[in-house]
Amino acid sequence: MNNTATAMTAYIAMGSNMGDREQWLRKAIEMLGQHTAIEVTQISNIYETDPVGYTQQPSFLNMVIEVNTTLAAPDLLLEQLSIEQQLGRVREIQWGPRTIDLDLLLYDNVSLETELLVLPHPRMMERAFVLVPLHDVLSGGHLLHNEVKDIAEEALRTRKEGITLWTTIN
C-alpha cells in the first residue's frame, strides 16, 4: 500500500448467492488486496443467510472485511463497483441474485451523504447479515462497536434472517 497518504480504516460487506458463492467472496477479497492503495487487514467468518427484500432466490453467503486504504471513500466505492462488474454482477432486480455484492459500510468515523455514497451505510444497523460479520472484525474502539455487538449477539441468538455460521477463512 502507498504510505504517502494517511491510511483510513474501512469496513466492506460482501455477499453472494449465485454459483460458487464462497469462491466469489474469495476472489473479491483477492482483487481488493491486489490494489496498491488497499490492504485487507481482517476477514470475518462467513455466514449463510436467508434473502431479505426479494426472497424468491437462493440463500446468501455474507461476510465483512476490514481494510486500510489511502483511497478516499468515493474512490474506494468506485473500486468496489469495478470489482463487482469484473466478477459478473448484473443489476436486474433490486436486492436480487448476484455473483458478488460489495457495500462500503464504514470509512473510519466519517459521516458523508452524497448522491453516490452515504456513510455510515444507511441500512446496515437493520441487517443481521451485515452486523453479525461486522462484529467479527469491528475495532473495539469504534464508535458503533457496542451497538453492533448487542444487535449481532441478539441476531445470532434468535437466528434472525436465518443467519448461521458457514465457515472461517484463515
Side-chain angles (χ1 to χ4, degrees), residues 145-164:
H145 181 266
N146 290 339
E147 188 176 358
V148 168
K149 178 180 184 277
D150 292 345
I151 297 170
E153 288 175 351
E154 177 66 17
L156 278 173
R157 195 169 30 256
T158 62
R159 290 199 68 242
K160 183 178 180 187
E161 297 166 10
I163 193 163
T164 57

Side-chain angles (χ1 to χ4, degrees), residues 6-159:
T6 302
M8 303 292 270
T9 301
Y11 296 90
I12 301 170
M14 307 173 71
S16 175
N17 76 334
M18 294 177 67
D20 187 341
R21 302 171 298 169
E22 186 176 343
Q23 192 56 40
W24 290 122
L25 296 172
R26 289 178 183 275
K27 184 64 177 168
I29 293 168
E30 177 185 325
M31 292 172 77
L32 284 162
Q34 288 172 347
H35 194 287
T36 59
I38 300 171
E39 176 188 11
V40 178
T41 52
Q42 288 196 77
I43 299 172
S44 76
N45 294 319
I46 299 175
Y47 297 87
E48 187 168 40
T49 60
D50 295 337
V52 174
Y54 178 70
T55 58
Q56 300 304 308
Q57 60 181 323
S59 296
F60 280 84
L61 290 186
N62 293 101
M63 64 186 303
V64 172
I65 61 171
E66 177 191 76
V67 300
N68 285 337
T69 183
T70 54
L71 294 174
D75 295 329
L76 179 57
L77 177 65
L78 291 174
E79 181 61 24
Q80 292 171 215
L81 293 172
S82 172
I83 289 170
E84 285 182 350
Q85 185 176 28
Q86 292 172 59
L87 295 179
R89 168 86 190 258
V90 177
R91 297 173 186 269
E92 292 177 341
I93 301 169
Q94 185 176 20
W95 300 312
R98 61 207 79 162
T99 53
I100 194 72
D101 182 31
L102 303 175
D103 287 325
L104 184 54
L105 302 175
L106 300 165
Y107 183 88
D108 237 40
N109 286 312
V110 171
S111 292
L112 177 71
E113 189 164 343
T114 69
E115 191 174 314
L116 178 68
L117 179 62
V118 177
L119 290 170
H121 189 286
R123 291 172 302 284
M124 73 177 204
M125 298 307 282
E126 305 161 8
R127 297 175 169 172
F129 67 85
V130 170
L131 295 177
V132 170
L134 177 60
H135 176 253
D136 288 350
V137 296
L138 188 63
S139 162
H142 194 281
L143 295 174
L144 293 175
H145 181 266
N146 290 339
E147 188 176 358
V148 168
K149 178 180 184 277
D150 292 345
I151 297 170
E153 288 175 351
E154 177 66 17
L156 278 173
R157 195 169 30 256
T158 62
R159 290 199 68 242

